Amino acid sequence: MSVIILLLIASITVASLFLGFYIWSVKSGQYDDEQSPPFRILFEDSPPVKPNHTSAEINKKINAS
Amino acid sequence: MQIEKFHYDNKIVKYFAFATAAWGIVGMLAGLWVAIQFYYPAISLNYPGTTFGRLRPIHTNAVIFAFVGNSMFMGIYYSLQRLCKSRMFNDKLSWVHFWGWQSIIVLAALTLFFGYTTGKEYSELEWPIDILITLIWVVFGINMFGTIFKRRESHLYVAIWFYIATWITVAMLHIVNSFELPFSFLKSYSWYAGVQDALVQWWYGHNAVAFFLTTPILGLMYYFLPKAANRPVYSYRLSIIHFWALIFIYIWAGPHHLLYTALPDWAQSLGVVFSIMLIAPSWGGMLNGLFTLRGAWDKVREDPVLKFFVVAITCYGMATFEGPLLSLKSVNAIAHYTDWIVGHVHIGGMGWNGFMAFGILYWLFPRMWNTTLYSKKLATNHFWLGTIGIVIYAVPLYWAGFAQAGMWKQFTEEGQLKFQFLETVTSIIPLYITRSIGGTIYIIGALMMVYNLYKTAKQGTFIPNEAAEAAPLVKNTSHAGEYWHRWIERKPATLLVLSLIVVVIGGVLELVPTFLIKSNVPTIASVKPYTPLELQGRDIYVREGCYTCHSQMIRPFRDEVARYGEYSKAGEFVYDHPFQWGSKRTGPDLARIGGKYPDSWHYNHMMEPSLMSPGSIMPRYGWLLDDNIDTALTAAKIRAMQTLGVPYPAGYDKIANKELMSQANSIRINLKIDKIQTPANKEIIALIAYLQRLGKDIKAEKKTEPAVSQ
């Protein structure tokens, strides 16, 4: 059963990596805005370039579909 | 701000999509072929490569790594580019990844067909292919992380977090579970043995489910479901929370595959507890997905893509509720080794993985070919066929699982076991037939999809490079002019984490050799290494995939001890590289088969199982009677085992073949007494030697000395 040491080391190494990623993500502001990402992915980035959307336009687009 | 123009690579997505569909059909047909063998074993054509033991791993590898694998890459390559607002980091790497992965699949099919297998579930591929998998995975990682680093969108959408977690964890799992010592160009022995091997195997095996079949597909769900419904994710915050919870908890669930086995109790309990906790983050994902369709359910009525996604997510929820329940020891006592587990697996595999792949294919093809889906009606019919197929597949297996477990455990009033093992098999044959009908319906649906997608592509014009524009990222200057104390507060935490990782990596590199080649002090003094002939026989057992139908782990239940003998102890398996505890009892447990039947019984049984067991569905193994033992490898095998810590005497490899022939000869004489004429060097002799050894060692101990346990 001593193999559990290896599994613990491997798992905790990866967990530490994830912890590092988590700390980085919080500190670099990944979660500062939780409102726009779900909407952002719904827009295509094909040209021509669209003007900046107002929230009214965003709402209209969502409600129309 | 200068807007940059670039193009998304659709060609690589197209190729992964074709591979997904093609391997999906291949993998499902392999599944159907093995399913029919349960009630019509002759359909294996009596050819070694297509018996259940070898074909089942071909099926699992095809559906997991070829079908779901390619579907994952298809979805990631499409969504990652658009989420990062950047083309893939390097086109050449994309193609190395694609062709590399398909080569792995072809090599897998060939090697598994010819019996080159490690004998460990979902990790059957031998060491040269394991190395290739590592290389291609690294290529994929460079391409993926490179794209993330050159992104034009600073926020990493939740799907990308799932992709990152998938990549890192699969890398770790594959490497750790693939520690094996080669002894020939295509064969190796697991570094781990017995209980240790079992734990590593199921730490890997369950996390293969978690990080290959679940997390990447959840990532795909978070992209493709909102896109298909044109609705934002229900709760972005929930998606972040359940992501982090899921990836932390999942790793610990592995031991639920080993409940009531010789794995130490505390490890079993750990697995149970974490498996129960897993319900929360899993259902977080399901609810988030389903609630995204709030106010859009009228679209589900119209759109086959959304239909597939809804059922996929629902099956995900069912499977992730059933899984934790199956992890409760009391439920597991009934379900383990039965078809209930197979039913559970296929709800997830056909429902979640299959339907997500189908939905994404139906959504992608019209887009990439700049057209509409050829036939929405056909796609809707596929949806209904697929759903019905899943139900007709799973329900008979639940029934079969309960029926068989109930029959195994039933005693007469006099205290005898009521049913012979074979009776429990023949009684569920009608359920096996029904299951294969369900699978066939599911495949018909998939074939309809292939036709539909083909016609869609034909009527459209493919867009190999999709034009896009976005502004580049501005370098983050928000920390300019901050108070110095905050600067120090930031760095040390990161520094601490990084140093910890470095130290731990160093520790791993130092400790690994000592733990893996640990001189195994036998916990049971009477347990001895396999003789050379028995070792050859064991390797034949592994080659033919016997563990896919036969377990070697007697649980401490009254009915199992009555049917098979003393329950299995951890110390009995210290020399088993790899362990062969098995996961399923299509046939009886073999842990204490040694000495139960004469050698001639085994000879006749392997030649024609129904001779010894009328009504048996076991395939024939006639070639074992004709083929010679590969004695050229005996010495290498002994030396490999010695390196792994098995206490053969020094120089034993030189006399190993002599010992082998001597033992083989005595078996030949035994067979001759029972009127069976055979040369001593046939593979059947080696297999008989191995089978006759199983479970015998601790019986010897009772006669000679009191039990020594440590």
Side-chain angles (χ1 to χ4, degrees):
Chain A
M1 266 311 288
S2 50
V3 80
I4 193 108
I5 310 285
L6 173 69
L7 297 182
L8 278 170
I9 291 173
S11 303
I12 291 178
T13 303
V14 169
S16 314
L17 221 96
F18 287 146
L19 185 63
F21 268 121
Y22 177 76
I23 292 172
W24 169 83
S25 67
V26 171
K27 291 203 184 281
S28 74
Q30 287 286 323
Y31 307 132
D32 289 351
D33 175 16
E34 281 171 2
Q35 307 308 321
S36 62
F39 295 95
R40 178 175 54 80
I41 71 158
L42 297 178
F43 301 130
E44 303 287 318
D45 353 89
S46 48
V49 178
K50 297 188 182 79
N52 281 337
H53 294 274
T54 62
S55 55
E57 280 176 19
I58 292 175
N59 282 333
K60 198 166 154 209
K61 185 178 168 84
I62 297 304
N63 290 330
S65 48
Chain B
M1 184 94 33
Q2 189 66 13
I3 299 287
E4 290 176 352
K5 292 186 196 290
F6 54 96
H7 291 83
Y8 295 130
D9 183 358
N10 279 345
K11 196 166 168 217
I12 188 72
V13 179
K14 172 173 97 166
Y15 273 66
F16 276 120
F18 285 170
T20 303
W23 290 121
I25 301 296
V26 167
M28 291 179 223
L29 287 174
L32 184 60
W33 196 349
V34 297
I36 295 176
Q37 292 193 26
F38 278 86
Y39 51 91
Y40 187 54
I43 202 161
S44 74
L45 310 172
N46 283 324
Y47 199 71
T50 46
T51 49
F52 184 87
R54 294 204 200 173
L55 193 54
R56 188 245 180 194
I58 292 176
H59 164 65
T60 56
N61 277 270
V63 291
I64 295 173
F65 299 110
F67 174 56
V68 179
N70 277 301
S71 80
M72 166 197 327
F73 301 139
M74 161 182 79
I76 291 178
Y77 272 74
Y78 184 87
S79 61
L80 186 67
Q81 294 185 76
R82 287 155 179 82
L83 290 170
C84 291
K85 293 194 171 41
S86 157
R87 190 184 178 85
M88 286 310 292
F89 173 62
N90 184 309
D91 284 4
K92 277 203 186 59
L93 288 182
S94 300
W95 293 109
V96 169
H97 176 193
F98 175 79
W99 289 112
W101 195 256
Q102 313 315 315
S103 312
I104 288 167
I105 295 166
V106 170
L107 288 171
L110 287 170
T111 51
L112 292 175
F113 184 84
F114 287 111
Y116 293 102
T117 167
T118 62
K120 293 173 66 161
E121 279 184 88
Y122 320 122
S123 183
E124 294 92 347
L125 303 179
E126 269 291 354
W127 64 272
I129 308 180
D130 280 343
I131 293 175
L132 184 57
I133 292 171
T134 311
L135 290 171
I136 300 302
W137 199 254
V138 167
V139 165
F140 170 47
I142 296 173
N143 211 7
M144 184 173 77
F145 284 103
T147 311
I148 292 171
F149 284 138
K150 70 185 235 302
R151 68 192 188 281
R152 294 184 182 81
E153 171 56 62
S154 75
H155 177 86
L156 292 176
Y157 185 66
V158 60
I160 301 179
W161 285 105
F162 276 100
Y163 304 155
I164 293 174
T166 298
W167 188 87
I168 294 174
T169 318
V170 168
M172 171 188 75
L173 293 168
H174 172 68
I175 289 171
V176 172
N177 196 39
S178 298
F179 283 155
E180 51 218 3
L181 182 64
F183 61 83
S184 80
F185 174 58
L186 277 175
K187 276 296 301 164
S188 64
Y189 288 134
S190 171
W191 271 100
Y192 319 98
V195 175
Q196 319 228 33
D197 199 20
L199 182 60
V200 176
Q201 159 62 26
W202 289 112
W203 171 85
Y204 163 86
H206 195 80
N207 289 309
V209 170
F211 290 92
F212 201 88
L213 296 177
T214 303
T215 57
I217 315 299
L218 280 172
L220 297 189
M221 179 197 86
Y222 275 116
Y223 181 80
F224 288 99
L225 176 66
K227 294 293 271 188
N230 206 19
R231 277 271 185 288
V233 164
Y234 166 67
S235 166
Y236 197 65
R237 178 174 293 186
L238 174 60
S239 71
I240 303 292
I241 292 172
H242 98 90
F243 164 71
W244 289 106
L246 194 79
I247 67 169
F248 271 100
I249 297 177
Y250 237 130
I251 305 262
W252 310 91
H256 71 223
H257 292 261
L258 296 166
L259 299 180
Y260 286 118
T261 69
L263 183 76
D265 264 348
W266 61 265
Q268 296 185 30
S269 301
L270 198 70
V272 170
V273 165
F274 277 86
S275 301
I276 304 296
M277 293 200 291
L278 204 46
I279 296 181
S282 304
W283 273 43
M286 173 191 73
L287 292 171
N288 215 357
L290 291 178
F291 281 152
T292 298
L293 293 166
R294 269 187 330 162
W297 286 95
D298 56 312
K299 287 192 201 176
V300 178
R301 217 176 324 135
E302 298 303 320
D303 183 6
V305 170
L306 290 179
K307 287 188 173 69
F308 276 108
F309 286 165
V310 166
V311 170
I313 296 168
T314 307
C315 285
Y316 173 68
M318 284 179 0
T320 54
F321 181 64
E322 188 182 29
L325 286 188
L326 287 168
S327 304
L328 293 169
K329 288 185 88 167
S330 49
V331 178
N332 195 276
I334 300 168
H336 190 34
Y337 297 130
T338 73
D339 284 288
W340 183 352
I341 306 298
V342 181
H344 165 68
V345 164
H346 285 84
I347 296 277
M350 295 160 85
W352 166 242
N353 294 116
F355 270 33
M356 282 303 296
F358 300 151
I360 293 173
L361 281 164
Y362 280 123
W363 189 84
L364 274 181
F365 262 66
R367 253 165 198 74
M368 292 204 296
W369 271 268
N370 200 22
T371 178
T372 54
L373 186 63
Y374 170 71
S375 167
K376 216 167 81 166
K377 190 142 182 279
L378 198 60
T380 308
N381 288 340
H382 170 196
F383 164 76
W384 287 113
L385 281 182
T387 306
I388 291 165
I390 294 171
V391 174
I392 300 180
Y393 186 100
V395 170
L397 291 183
Y398 290 143
W399 188 348
F402 268 101
Q404 195 170 32
M407 290 172 81
W408 286 343
K409 291 176 184 303
Q410 201 161 1
F411 283 87
T412 62
E413 271 158 18
E414 294 82 31
Q416 309 285 339
L417 287 167
K418 183 148 183 216
F419 296 103
Q420 294 294 312
F421 189 92
L422 191 49
E423 288 177 273
T424 72
V425 175
T426 50
S427 71
I428 57 178
I429 296 282
L431 299 167
Y432 285 141
I433 296 172
T434 317
R435 177 266 296 268
S436 68
I437 294 173
T440 306
I441 294 173
Y442 189 85
I443 291 175
I444 291 172
L447 288 168
M448 284 159 56
M449 174 191 75
V450 170
Y451 173 74
N452 205 352
L453 295 178
Y454 164 73
K455 297 292 272 186
T456 304
K458 211 145 172 263
Q459 80 187 14
T461 330
F462 183 63
I463 313 166
N465 295 291
E466 197 177 302
E469 332 185 310
L473 274 192
V474 179
K475 282 281 174 275
N476 191 355
T477 55
S478 60
H479 292 300
E482 72 174 3
Y483 192 52
W484 65 269
H485 199 247
R486 290 206 74 81
W487 184 88
I488 289 179
E489 281 173 339
R490 269 196 303 128
K491 294 294 189 205
T494 323
L495 206 56
L496 177 68
V497 168
L498 286 173
S499 343
L500 181 68
I501 292 170
V502 168
V503 163
V504 163
I505 289 174
V508 167
L509 292 173
E510 281 187 322
L511 289 167
V512 159
T514 58
F515 280 112
L516 297 181
I517 321 176
K518 174 176 149 63
S519 60
N520 283 305
V521 177
T523 54
I524 301 174
S526 60
V527 172
K528 299 278 179 272
Y530 294 105
T531 65
L533 183 64
E534 291 158 4
L535 190 57
Q536 291 279 20
R538 185 169 210 270
D539 288 349
I540 293 167
Y541 185 96
V542 168
R543 181 187 78 200
E544 301 301 339
C546 303
Y547 70 95
T548 61
C549 285
H550 290 280
S551 58
Q552 284 186 30
M553 169 51 62
I554 302 169
R555 295 177 291 176
F557 299 150
R558 180 186 164 209
D559 69 287
E560 298 212 355
V561 171
R563 191 183 298 279
Y564 301 117
E566 180 66 13
Y567 64 90
S568 297
K569 314 283 191 288
E572 298 184 71
F573 305 100
V574 287
Y575 303 128
D576 288 10
H577 295 264
F579 84 112
Q580 289 284 276
W581 292 359
S583 308
K584 176 77 165 55
R585 284 180 187 158
T586 307
D589 188 284
L590 300 177
R592 290 203 198 293
I593 194 85
K596 270 203 180 142
Y597 302 104
D599 292 350
S600 55
W601 188 96
H602 285 294
Y603 187 96
N604 287 323
H605 181 242
M606 297 304 298
M607 178 175 72
E608 167 78 72
S610 51
L611 273 181
M612 299 288 115
S613 311
S616 169
I617 61 174
M618 177 167 152
R620 302 182 192 174
Y621 286 91
W623 60 91
L624 297 179
L625 279 57
D626 299 326
D627 294 349
N628 296 338
I629 303 169
D630 188 358
T631 48
L633 279 176
T634 312
K637 292 186 180 190
I638 298 294
R639 283 194 299 272
M641 285 297 185
Q642 285 173 315
T643 309
L644 296 173
V646 180
Y648 292 110
Y652 189 69
D653 59 313
K654 298 187 180 48
I655 59 165
N657 267 330
K658 205 154 116 284
E659 303 266 313
L660 185 152
M661 287 314 299
S662 165
Q663 187 180 3
N665 215 24
S666 55
I667 294 178
R668 181 189 67 80
I669 292 168
N670 274 348
L671 292 173
K672 192 158 171 217
I673 294 170
D674 282 346
K675 313 271 194 301
I676 295 174
Q677 303 276 43
T678 173
N681 66 335
K682 297 299 176 190
E683 286 188 330
I684 183 67
I685 306 288
L687 186 61
I688 290 173
Y690 171 65
L691 292 173
Q692 294 288 34
R693 176 67 188 279
L694 288 178
K696 268 227 188 100
D697 286 14
I698 66 167
K699 292 180 193 167
E701 174 190 282
K702 282 197 165 64
K703 289 188 223 146
T704 53
E705 56 192 283
V708 176
S709 56
Q710 286 161 12

